[in-house]
Amino acid sequence: EGMTFVGTDMVRIIEELLPTRFGGCSTDYQMVEAEDGKGQTRLYVLVSPAVGEVNDGEVVDCILSELRKGSDTNRMMAEVWRQGGTLQVLRQQPRLTRGGKLLSLHVMKTPPV
């Protein structure tokens, strides 16, 4: 949606906020940026099945609420993401890089679906 948040904010959400709120640990969550089949950039929030039951809408609301904090610009960007359906939750294991590292923020050419 053409909106950019500070990467450290996203990492904090993935590594601290989501595990605290929904369970599991930091390695159970990952943000993956990829273009969907229509060429739209999406952020997929991968949540490991090991976390157990979570409400996808609550995960998205939690992330957007945290991103809204701070400036008017942050609130506007979070609202654009909400309206555009930019964040989508997928119940999958977070992806490792070719080197075997788990990144909190990962970019892929194709969606992880």
Side-chain angles (χ1 to χ4, degrees), residues 22-104:
F22 298 102
C25 61
S26 62
T27 57
D28 289 322
Y29 300 88
Q30 184 180 50
M31 288 269 197
V32 174
E33 179 183 308
E35 285 189 8
D36 65 15
K38 298 177 183 176
Q40 293 282 56
T41 300
R42 298 282 177 227
L43 283 176
Y44 299 93
V45 184
L46 303 187
V47 179
S48 170
V51 172
E53 287 295 316
V54 296
N55 180 295
D56 294 356
E58 288 180 18
V59 172
V60 169
D61 288 345
C62 178
I63 293 168
L64 291 176
S65 290
E66 193 64 23
L67 291 175
R68 279 187 190 97
K69 293 180 179 177
S71 70
D72 290 340
T73 302
N74 281 15
R75 284 188 288 284
M76 183 272 303
M77 291 189 308
E79 183 59 21
V80 168
W81 277 13
R82 185 191 66 76
Q83 289 180 13
T86 302
L87 290 174
Q88 298 178 12
V89 176
L90 298 176
R91 297 308 304 266
Q92 296 180 10
Q93 270 311 113
R95 305 298 172 93
L96 300 176
T97 66
R98 290 182 194 190
K101 293 184 179 183
L102 177 63
L103 304 175
S104 297

